[in-house]
Amino acid sequence: MLLPSLACALAALLPLADALSMSVGNSFGRLLRISTWGESHGGGVGVTVDGVPPRLHLTRDEIQVDLDRRRPGQSRITTPRNEADAVEILSGVDAAGVTLGTPIAMLVRNKDQRSKDYLDNDMNVAYRPSHADATYDAKYGVRAVAGGGRSSARETIGRVAGGAVARKILSLYSGVEVLAYVSAVQDIATEDVDHATFTRDMVDANIVRCPDAECAERMLARIDVIRKQGNSIGGVVTCVARNVPAGLGSPVFDKLEATLAAACMSIPAAKGFESGDGFAGTLLSGIEHNDAFYVDPVTGATRTATNRSGGIQGGISNGEDIVIKVAFKATSTIGQEQKTVTRDGKEVALRGKGRHDPCVLPRAVPMVEAMVALCLADALMCQEAQCGLFPMTAEQKEGLNPIGVGAVREGFDADAFQREKEASAGDRAVGLKVDEE
């Protein structure tokens, strides 16, 4: 029996049921908010993007570019399902391609679903090991057998479409670039990618989506071996965001790496997240791990000599490149026989049928980019809403310390700075008394 106070509270929420309906696990973001919808074998999938600033020029082609990188059937190491994934913009953009400030709805129709691959065999009643089949059934008491419904990677179409909008906002604001690549397939990993200079063309130069060509060949060979065995394989996607302004993110519960982790861990098959040096940083001492500050001799801005923090300190962006890694498990649906149970509790052997990815990593690259872009654009809008509401006075700006790659100290005299630096080379270090928990 409900307590009277709880019953009253629930009754008060009933009028809000319609407003809350898309918030039960299907929405992401605060000021820039996406809500995805649709199932893998339904009529289509899509997204509603709310909070997009008005008067931006946005074309269908800008959305389609990212969707084409995500779509199935791209190569022998992705699912052969043949979908064009052509996006339709239904609202929020006028005929001239200008955003209206109202929700942008986008739809991609399903064309090549084959439900009989799931319904006309044991997959109709047996749970795929490590898949969402059993847990969806436990939660809802019913599940979309064909294609996995909302647990299918097809749901990510809405994320990628919304991420393309976020990418446009970030690019216009400060030239932010969000680029990801496959950095590891099982134990085959690259350490030879320059995060400051690699490009999307370099990433897309091979079907693995690793800009290190030599390592990509070894990755592909491993994937092919696993694929021919009717098995699947996982690995790591690394994402770099350049030109992110300092100040994004909030202390405590809304730390930038916390929201990035939530965003990326919501992608299908994601099982791990690292920010900056991540777990490897635990092997370093403080003096080894700390990113020493220095003054950029050209811009006068405060920079860091290293970037083990991954562009985030105290949960707030520091203007350096943001670097994160997302670990993806091997896909659950495989062509080898596995032990499982049916819905009525019988132990059976199941061999996966239908079309699926032997390795999700190449298609996960645009998914990670999309979630990172959405997270950063939302954090940017929150920052402007709170801290940009009232412009700083000239006196306040004078005491502000510019930090990060794109920052510039006004009136900075590089020659005078260099002379002062040389003159003070032998000065004693500044002492700092610390008293904290």
Side-chain angles (χ1 to χ4, degrees), residues 166-240:
R167 191 192 296 273
K168 182 66 178 276
I169 295 170
L170 292 167
S171 177
L172 289 173
Y173 184 83
S174 63
V176 174
E177 292 182 286
V178 180
L179 297 171
Y181 66 95
V182 175
S183 55
V185 172
Q186 278 190 337
D187 60 338
I188 302 173
T190 177
E191 300 291 342
D192 193 27
V193 176
D194 185 345
H195 288 172
T197 60
F198 83 95
T199 65
R200 175 181 284 193
D201 286 343
M202 293 169 63
V203 173
D204 289 349
N206 56 72
I207 60 177
V208 180
R209 289 211 164 104
C210 173
D212 179 347
E214 185 276 330
C215 190
E217 287 297 322
R218 290 188 287 121
M219 290 175 173
L220 180 58
R222 177 71 62 82
I223 296 171
D224 276 338
V225 169
I226 296 294
R227 176 178 61 87
K228 291 173 183 177
Q229 295 172 350
N231 209 344
S232 61
I233 193 171
V236 179
V237 170
T238 295
C239 187
V240 181

